[in-house]
Amino acid sequence: MQAWVQEKLGAPLVLKEVEEPKPGPGAVLLEVEAVGLNFADHLLRLGAYLTRLHPPFIPGMEVVGRAGNGRYAALVGQGGLAERVAVPEAALLPVPEGLSPEEAAAYPVSFLTAYLALRRAGAKPGESVLVQAAAGALGTAAVQVARALGLRVVAAASRREKLALPLSLGAEVAATYEELPERVKALGGVDLVLEVRGKAIEESLALLKPQGRLVYIGAAEGEVAPIPPLRLMRRNLTVLGFWLAPLLGERPLVEEALGFLLPRLGKELKPMVGQVFPFAEAEAAFRALLDRSHTGKVVVRL
């Protein structure tokens, strides 16, 4: 079968024939239809992710495909950018009726992260949440999940032309990062921040109300400045770390999230698909992922 292989960290992918995966006990062979790209895939290719893989490996952690008579999504860690991938049966995620393969590939990482991050932060109906990168895959999911949980959403993005999308999904306020401090100050602060930028974490803390919570999900803009503990003490602020991968092993938590998400996906919750690339253009898809003008999920379609 064909697969895109990372033969050296930081190098371009190589399309080549590789051995067919052989599912072990309790696993199935998934015929891949689409792969959702994540910033984590980019970091994995650089050797800069929370888990480090030694080349050669096949990137792609978020896949959708067919096994038997059903379509499933799966989070596989690696191996997705291939014609087939072996997946433990316990890792298969249902795909709601009516979702296209591209939409199905855009739901697992973004919507599970959005729901579980807000749950971890103890989000309550009526509270306000700042969603950064609100026109991206995670951001659009977070705006919708927050609204479904009864939260008020402040959306932020790097460019003004991106703000219409989160507003159309239910955000009450939308601003560029430059405008954000003034807009949030006028609101009296926010209760929660979903932090994905990294470099601006101190600015994010300044936007919180007393007893506010910041959920640290990622650092797309680079290294994070140290957080002085006294700054947290003065206003009783909380900073929480969030990483989806280890939580996927906590089945009751995953079942709770799916119980909330699955009945709503394709209805009030809509995965936002951005650019879609054919399998032969996987490297171009990664370039689009890093282009700050993109919106929604970048998908590779087989």
Side-chain angles (χ1 to χ4, degrees):
M1 70 169 189
Q2 285 200 313
W4 285 99
V5 180
Q6 191 74 46
E7 295 192 324
K8 181 181 178 182
L9 293 176
L13 294 169
V14 178
L15 181 62
K16 60 193 301 184
E17 287 288 329
V18 299
E19 187 176 346
E20 184 101 2
K22 296 180 175 61
V28 299
L29 193 65
L30 198 68
E31 293 278 348
V32 178
E33 294 180 306
V35 182
L37 294 190
N38 298 279
F39 193 71
D41 293 303
H42 165 69
L43 294 178
L44 202 65
R45 293 183 60 197
L46 299 177
Y49 191 48
L50 292 168
T51 53
R52 183 175 176 128
L53 297 179
H54 298 285
F57 62 87
I58 301 168
M61 62 181 63
E62 186 175 26
V63 300
V64 62
R66 290 199 169 272
N69 295 322
R71 173 178 285 147
Y72 301 93
L75 299 177
V76 294
Q78 60 167 311
L81 279 171
E83 292 178 317
R84 287 169 288 282
V85 61
V87 181
E89 289 181 4
L92 295 175
L93 300 171
V95 172
E97 288 291 330
L99 289 191
S100 68
E102 293 86 351
E103 290 171 321
Y107 107 73
V109 167
S110 297
F111 281 87
L112 285 171
T113 295
Y115 178 83
L116 292 174
L118 289 168
R119 182 190 186 283
R120 178 160 169 69
K124 303 178 188 66
E127 289 190 312
S128 54
V129 57
L130 168 61
V131 176
Q132 297 178 347
L138 174 58
T140 52
V143 170
Q144 295 179 78
V145 171
R147 292 292 299 128
L149 289 169
L151 278 71
R152 300 169 56 217
V153 177
V154 177
S158 58
R159 305 183 184 197
R160 181 169 296 281
E161 58 267 27
K162 291 183 175 184
L163 300 180
L165 179 55
L167 284 171
S168 73
L169 297 173
E172 294 184 19
V173 176
T176 63
Y177 294 125
E178 290 76 16
E179 301 165 334
L180 192 61
E182 184 176 342
R183 297 293 299 276
V184 173
K185 183 179 178 181
L187 297 172
V190 292
D191 299 291
L192 300 164
V193 171
L194 299 184
E195 178 69 41
V196 299
R197 298 176 68 196
K199 277 186 176 180
I201 192 166
E202 289 207 52
E203 295 174 26
S204 297
L205 290 173
L207 302 178
L208 286 169
K209 297 176 182 178
Q211 302 182 51
R213 295 93 77 198
L214 181 146
V215 186
Y216 182 74
I217 298 174
E221 293 183 354
E223 198 63 35
V224 181
I227 303 171
L230 288 176
R231 180 155 189 187
L232 304 181
M233 291 173 63
R234 286 190 184 101
R235 293 193 295 129
N236 289 293
L237 303 179
T238 301
V239 176
L240 304 164
F242 181 89
W243 184 23
L244 178 62
L247 298 181
L248 295 174
E250 298 186 24
R251 199 62 201 177
L253 200 60
V254 174
E255 292 292 345
E256 176 197 322
L258 293 176
F260 179 87
L261 296 170
L262 290 176
R264 294 173 170 85
L265 281 166
K267 302 180 181 73
E268 61 182 295
L269 302 179
K270 297 180 180 180
M272 293 290 112
V273 178
Q275 290 178 269
V276 178
F277 292 82
F279 186 63
E281 298 179 16
E283 197 66 69
F286 272 101
R287 289 195 295 272
L289 178 71
L290 301 179
D291 183 348
R292 295 193 182 278
S293 67
H294 88 275
T295 59
K297 174 74 77 171
V298 176
V299 176
V300 175
R301 185 72 160 89
L302 278 75

